[in-house]
Amino acid sequence: MTDTPNVVTMRGIVKRFPGVLASDHVDFDLRRGEIHALLGENGAGKSTLMNILAGLYRADAGAIEVHGKAVQFGSPRQAIQAGIGMIHQHFMLVPSQSVTENILLGLTHPRFWLRLAENERVVSELGERFGLKVDPKAKIWQLSVGEQQRVEILKMLYRGADVLILDEPTAVLGPQETEQLFKTLRNMTQQGKSIIFISHKLNEVMSIADRVTVMRRGRVTAADVATKGSTTAELARLMVGRDVLFRVHREAQEPGPVVLQIEDLHADNDRGVPALRGLSLEVRAGEIVGLAGVAGNGQRELSEVITGLRRAKSGRVRLNGENLTNQPVRKAIERGLAHVPEDRNKVGSSPNLSLTDNLIMKQYAEEPIGRGWRLDAGEAAAFANRLKHSYEISAPSVETQARLLSGGNLQRLILAREISTKPKAMIAMQPTQGLDVGAVEVVHNLLLEQRKQGVAILLVSEELEELLSLSDRIAVIYEGTIVGDVESGDVEWIGQLMTGSSGAL
Amino acid sequence: MSAEVPVSPRRGLPFGVRAVPREVVPAWLPPLVSIGAIVLALAIGAIVLALVGGDPLAAYGQIARSSFGSIDVFSDTLIKAIPLMIVGLACSVAFRMRLWNIGAEGQFFMGAWGASAVVLIPLVAEDTSRWLVIPLMLLAGMAAGALWGFIPGVLKARFNVNEIISTLMLNYIAIAWNDFFIFGVWSEGGFQMSKTFPKNAWLPRLTDYADYVDWFSGLTTHMGLLFALVAVVVVWLILYHSRWGYEIRLIGDNPRAAQYAGVPIARHTVLVLMLSGALAGLAGMSEISGVVHRLQGQISPGYGFTGIIVAWLAKLNPFVIVIVSILFGALILAGREIQPSGIPKMIQGIILVCLIASDFLLRYRVRLQRVERLNA
């Protein structure tokens, strides 16, 4: 036994959902002042376990002790009274209200008068103490995502939490904000807080956590693993139950003629500020060009202009020599441009429609599914069943609603749909974001297969490792232009280009 | 992420209630839940009736008799149901695309006006065959309704004007427009109504064929029922078996995905509101030509608004709209037949609340559990 007492002890936690055992007799403990990572693939049961600890779900069986006392939480309020606060992936903040107002929201005290000035002082002191600087008077909508996350953490600290559960906190953050968050977390543990860090990113876990508990399919596969003395490969194996190939097999291949040609493109973002400033880029047949860059440097706008979803102010987009600039989206689709959008749920799929309806999205207008004004339901279902089978989309049937698919399965659906159009070129935006290791491998292999088929692929990703292992060339985007074209894997040089510190501008 | 609804165990009770979200809704469940909700609503209504000293069984019996009791009253129920069916369809088509057309009432009036114009301007000679006059009235009514959908459609597509406001306001314009004609232009001897249409502008009724089928005698159910049923099938074909319908469903569920799939949303906004307006216009034409036989002010007891409720209760399903419309038609008729007429209204209200609340059972499964298990 160790000399540091456990803050939280969970024993034999069982939680059943219809059709799945999300938590199968799980034990978990958290020591005072540590950062404990809960590692596992999507759907391994990490969030379920922590939702039980935070009072959102009730366990079907098992016991929880906090500071040595047995507890039963009926609601998040009871959990927070015991000092346990959870920061969810999706923030629960009121955009039009100030930071302080959001922090006070839902508390029984103050009951009527908010005493804003006094509480603003308390909030800024709290922020000062833990390195969570936010202007307490600022409205939430004015804040960046990173700052909003700080507000969520402050909310829990204000309520007296000494155990903080963070559910994939870095999924929404850029590299710098992540670094900042890690600093804050270390600072907080020094002041006696204990932190549970839910993640499926191995590198992060290695760099921030003291100990790791690994979960797979609702079970703990390894507990009390110290990050010191373990390797990423070991953890990966524990997580997926097999060795994961981090290096993908990419055969040498001569690229063909230029398929996708972008010349001196200018476009604004949603707020009317220039996002693309004279961007030029070429992608050849059978070539993967990786577009590296920190999020928000024009990647999204570029993909939207190419696919016809956004207007260009000037410049040209050509596909096999044909002009696609400011043309209807339909034209780009008909000419063979596939698009794997960044947001699978909000753009790439229609959540309440069936798998069939989602799979035919790019082909319903053509024979044999579309016949004149008619839509042949039989052909559509047959087509969907074929794709479901060959891309191993796991779902009860093609009538299942798309929203019930896991992230990895939904991405398979989107790729299946896009590839089935037999595209000439493909724009893949963050195709592996938020996917577990197994699903990432599937996506990578599908992209490489398309490369082999001679498709010109523009791969946009924030994961540099992914770009390095898949791309034939890497173009670096910074403030709306391409600042460098790198053939070899010189990571440091790319990093400098991405951050604008290369002097290349 | 679907969260459980945490319901804490009541102190002192040996069990607690827990609601678990449903992932898959079996096909047999929705009709069962709807029927259960209606039964529950009738039970609640019975209790209220008993409390105020009425005899619930007698009241329900009276309602049933006065709307389903004989072929004659059932024919009247159908007459009330016809405009509800068509307007319900009109609303459901727009709601599918999440276009909140609150203007079916106005489109109904425009449809009635358009159909009347054929006879009252007149566009055709007095002695034209009914088989020419009626199709002309049909087209004119639908065109006028479609125009009343086109205006908010274009405003929405081009200038992003909220269609709820524009369709609602257009109702008043339609009614005022109608009034202008019945007070002035087409007024019959200063009364606020037009002259009665000539017989060739009347929709054929069952009773017209009593010579061939004896029991048709006295049944005033008119050809509008046929229009309604054809419209049901057409809307169903459009929604589930046409490319356009697929696009409408796609836009309705996720407009950004639709845009991504290359669907021209602006064009569909205009077209769908026009279709919705045309259907509501058809309802107006069928009412004017099948029942009222003249243009006047009181042609709709709020069909355009009841149609919204019908569409929702039917969960936008074209076939279920038929059933819901007949139920509502029965309640409207019963309201006229029995005294006090507030009772069918009350029952209508309770049914509505129960049906809306029953939706919870489709989204969650509710379980009773012993307290020890809950806390374990």
Side-chain angles (χ1 to χ4, degrees):
Chain A
M1 284 302 284
T2 94
D3 48 340
T4 20
N6 283 346
V7 191
V8 172
T9 314
M10 299 175 87
R11 287 288 173 263
I13 302 294
V14 177
K15 177 75 197 174
R16 233 177 283 273
F17 285 121
V20 267
L21 196 53
S23 184
D24 183 5
H25 297 90
V26 172
D27 297 343
F28 179 83
D29 51 52
L30 178 70
R31 293 181 197 147
R32 174 175 296 285
E34 76 168 342
I35 299 182
H36 192 140
L38 193 54
L39 183 69
E41 294 186 291
N42 298 322
K46 302 164 300 202
S47 297
T48 305
L49 185 69
M50 287 303 122
N51 279 331
I52 290 169
L53 181 58
L56 251 86
Y57 293 166
R58 237 171 234 280
D60 295 332
I64 305 173
E65 281 180 18
V66 177
H67 295 299
K69 274 200 304 202
V71 290
Q72 286 164 357
F73 298 139
S75 69
R77 192 178 289 253
Q78 289 170 10
I80 192 80
Q81 271 162 11
I84 294 171
M86 182 154 172
I87 289 104
H88 294 270
Q89 258 182 72
H90 305 283
F91 303 146
M92 298 164 185
L93 298 168
V94 185
S96 59
Q97 294 204 335
S98 79
V99 169
T100 310
E101 283 165 337
N102 267 280
I103 288 172
L104 297 179
L105 193 69
L107 290 177
T108 42
H109 283 279
R111 191 177 284 277
F112 191 74
W113 301 111
L114 288 178
R115 292 197 309 253
L116 270 182
E118 191 187 318
N119 279 301
E120 272 160 9
R121 215 189 56 236
V122 175
V123 168
S124 66
E125 274 172 16
L126 213 53
E128 206 92 338
R129 201 174 124 205
F130 292 101
L132 292 157
K133 279 194 74 176
V134 191
D135 175 8
K137 287 191 176 121
K139 303 275 192 249
I140 296 299
W141 62 264
Q142 298 171 317
L143 303 180
S144 70
V145 181
E147 286 173 311
Q148 293 186 18
Q149 189 175 54
R150 278 177 235 160
V151 178
E152 285 282 9
I153 298 176
L154 278 171
K155 211 156 105 180
M156 290 305 151
L157 293 173
Y158 184 92
R159 285 157 169 75
D162 54 16
V163 173
L164 286 166
I165 306 166
L166 292 109
D167 192 356
E168 307 207 1
T170 59
V172 292
L173 301 181
Q176 277 150 357
E177 285 174 322
T178 303
E179 208 33 63
Q180 173 69 35
L181 172 71
F182 284 3
K183 232 185 268 169
T184 307
L185 295 185
R186 288 196 193 97
N187 185 352
M188 292 198 311
T189 53
Q190 273 157 24
Q191 301 190 42
K193 306 281 180 196
S194 317
I195 290 164
I196 302 171
F197 185 89
I198 305 177
S199 179
H200 57 232
K201 293 185 186 163
L202 291 172
N203 293 338
E204 276 175 20
V205 167
M206 291 297 280
S207 72
I208 184 76
D210 301 307
R211 288 195 306 151
V212 184
T213 294
V214 187
M215 287 188 76
R216 185 154 64 91
R217 292 183 185 172
R219 286 192 171 155
V220 171
T221 50
D224 197 19
V225 183
T227 45
K228 281 191 195 109
S230 339
T231 64
T232 322
E234 272 171 33
L235 287 177
R237 200 175 52 246
L238 288 168
M239 200 166 126
V240 298
R242 63 192 144 90
D243 284 302
V244 178
L245 295 171
F246 269 100
R247 290 274 149 217
V248 292
H249 187 62
R250 183 164 56 90
E251 283 166 30
Q253 179 177 317
E254 257 319 295
V258 173
V259 174
L260 185 66
Q261 192 177 23
I262 297 152
E263 269 170 42
D264 195 30
L265 208 57
H266 286 263
D268 288 347
N269 66 13
D270 290 338
R271 281 168 293 166
V273 179
L276 299 179
R277 309 160 198 243
L279 185 141
S280 301
L281 191 65
E282 283 183 351
V283 189
R284 296 165 171 278
E287 178 186 51
I288 298 182
V289 173
L291 192 67
V294 177
N297 272 292
Q299 292 96 320
R300 193 159 72 86
E301 289 78 7
L302 175 63
S303 74
E304 288 173 353
V305 170
I306 297 174
T307 52
L309 288 163
R310 182 180 293 274
R311 289 192 70 78
K313 280 195 299 188
S314 65
R316 278 278 171 273
V317 177
R318 286 197 183 86
L319 185 69
N320 281 329
E322 192 174 359
N323 180 26
L324 282 185
T325 331
N326 296 338
Q327 299 291 309
V329 178
R330 179 62 58 74
K331 183 174 174 187
I333 295 169
E334 281 167 0
R335 296 298 183 275
L337 183 70
H339 179 200
V340 178
E342 187 174 7
D343 196 323
R344 289 189 279 275
N345 298 303
K346 293 199 185 115
V347 180
S349 67
S350 194
N352 296 309
L353 297 190
S354 66
L355 293 196
T356 305
D357 284 343
N358 273 281
L359 281 165
I360 63 170
M361 223 185 249
K362 293 281 174 84
Q363 278 176 55
Y364 68 91
E366 282 152 43
E367 299 245 355
I369 296 170
R371 290 180 196 277
W373 62 271
R374 271 183 352 111
L375 188 80
D376 192 323
E379 285 287 348
F383 171 77
N385 271 311
R386 259 195 326 272
L387 289 188
K388 177 178 181 293
H389 182 75
S390 53
Y391 288 85
E392 293 171 351
I393 302 165
S394 87
S397 82
V398 291
E399 294 306 311
T400 310
Q401 290 177 320
R403 68 184 169 87
L404 298 172
L405 294 182
S406 70
N409 267 311
L410 188 57
Q411 193 68 318
R412 272 179 213 238
L413 179 151
I414 291 170
L415 280 161
R417 178 181 69 212
E418 297 306 313
I419 291 171
S420 70
T421 62
K422 300 199 177 61
K424 305 276 188 301
M426 178 185 272
I427 318 291
M429 289 287 288
Q430 312 274 15
T432 60
Q433 192 179 43
L435 299 187
D436 61 53
V437 185
V440 167
E441 208 182 320
V442 171
V443 171
H444 284 176
N445 287 333
L446 285 172
L447 289 176
L448 287 172
E449 177 59 30
Q450 286 304 294
R451 170 179 177 268
K452 215 165 157 187
Q453 304 286 327
V455 178
I457 300 173
L458 181 63
L459 172 66
V460 183
S461 174
E462 279 162 43
E463 308 259 334
L464 213 45
E465 266 192 55
E466 175 171 272
L467 289 177
L468 288 168
S469 56
L470 290 176
S471 314
D472 297 280
R473 278 189 302 129
I474 291 180
V476 183
I477 187 170
Y478 179 72
E479 296 202 332
T481 53
I482 301 295
V483 292
D485 212 324
V486 188
E487 296 247 359
S488 66
D490 186 347
V491 184
E492 257 177 52
W493 177 235
I494 295 174
Q496 282 177 19
L497 288 169
M498 277 166 61
T499 49
S501 52
S502 64
L505 271 181
Chain B
M1 198 178 70
S2 53
E4 240 172 281
V5 177
V7 184
S8 40
R10 299 277 167 270
R11 253 174 261 276
L13 281 179
F15 57 86
V17 182
R18 180 196 288 216
V20 186
R22 270 178 208 281
E23 296 242 306
V24 184
V25 180
W28 51 264
L29 191 67
L32 199 73
V33 166
S34 297
I35 292 166
I38 292 172
V39 171
L40 179 71
L42 293 178
I44 296 173
I47 293 170
V48 175
L49 282 173
L51 283 178
V52 297
D55 180 348
L57 283 180
Y60 284 160
Q62 189 61 39
I63 290 176
R65 265 194 305 282
S66 59
S67 41
F68 297 109
S70 71
I71 189 81
D72 296 292
V73 292
F74 185 62
S75 162
D76 289 348
T77 296
L78 284 180
I79 290 170
K80 292 286 167 206
I82 290 166
L84 290 178
M85 273 180 221
I86 309 179
V87 172
L89 277 177
C91 294
S92 76
V93 171
F95 293 173
R96 261 302 159 160
M97 219 180 107
R98 286 196 221 164
L99 286 171
W100 309 119
N101 178 14
I102 312 297
E105 184 80 356
Q107 292 146 9
F108 180 95
F109 270 92
M110 288 311 287
W113 177 85
S116 306
V118 174
V119 187
L120 298 173
I121 287 181
L123 293 180
V124 288
E126 245 340 278
D127 55 354
T128 317
S129 153
R130 100 184 338 182
W131 302 113
L132 182 64
V133 178
I134 287 168
L136 274 177
M137 290 173 78
L138 195 76
L139 283 178
M142 289 180 77
L147 173 72
W148 236 234
F150 174 78
I151 297 167
V154 165
L155 288 174
K156 167 102 179 169
R158 286 297 294 263
F159 309 108
N160 202 21
V161 174
N162 186 329
E163 78 281 8
I164 300 178
I165 308 294
S166 57
T167 52
L168 184 65
M169 293 304 151
L170 279 167
N171 285 338
Y172 299 105
I173 300 178
I175 291 167
W177 172 261
N178 215 42
D179 282 346
F180 173 71
F181 281 86
I182 57 176
F183 278 78
V185 186
W186 293 331
S187 168
E188 163 135 77
F191 289 104
Q192 292 141 29
M193 51 180 67
S194 75
K195 64 169 187 173
T196 305
F197 296 165
K199 282 271 186 180
N200 60 357
W202 291 25
L203 287 180
R205 296 171 302 183
L206 288 180
T207 189
D208 300 343
Y209 297 94
D211 289 347
Y212 307 98
V213 187
D214 278 350
W215 57 274
F216 276 3
S217 159
L219 300 184
T220 48
T221 301
H222 54 87
M223 201 186 179
L225 184 63
L226 196 66
F227 295 165
L229 296 178
V230 168
V232 165
V233 174
V234 167
V235 166
W236 174 76
L237 275 175
I238 289 178
L239 280 178
Y240 294 99
H241 292 276
S242 80
R243 282 167 45 184
W244 189 37
Y246 171 73
E247 291 172 342
I248 292 171
R249 288 187 291 128
L250 192 57
I251 299 171
D253 190 49
N254 186 353
R256 288 184 66 191
Q259 208 175 13
Y260 157 79
V263 179
I265 295 181
R267 199 170 78 200
H268 283 21
T269 303
V270 180
L271 288 177
V272 164
L273 278 173
M274 282 176 75
L275 174 62
S276 181
L279 283 167
L282 170 65
M285 176 272 168
S286 129
E287 192 69 5
I288 209 85
S289 165
V291 180
V292 189
H293 302 142
R294 56 155 39 115
L295 189 62
Q296 60 180 45
Q298 308 296 319
I299 50 173
S300 160
Y303 287 135
F305 300 109
T306 312
I308 296 171
I309 301 172
V310 168
W312 270 125
L313 287 184
K315 302 232 161 72
L316 311 184
N317 179 322
F319 296 113
V320 181
I321 284 175
V322 176
I323 300 169
V324 176
S325 302
I326 292 173
L327 186 71
F328 268 69
L331 287 170
I332 291 177
L333 196 67
R336 220 178 39 186
E337 294 288 320
I338 72 168
Q339 295 293 332
S341 74
I343 284 171
K345 275 248 165 71
M346 174 195 79
I347 293 165
Q348 198 173 323
I350 299 175
I351 290 178
L352 201 61
V353 170
C354 285
L355 278 170
I356 291 167
S358 75
D359 208 42
F360 181 83
L361 293 176
L362 295 181
R363 284 182 291 123
Y364 295 94
R365 57 173 78 229
V366 177
R367 286 185 175 158
L368 291 180
Q369 264 169 339
R370 302 180 74 84
V371 167
E372 311 91 73
R373 282 235 334 130
L374 269 174
N375 289 343

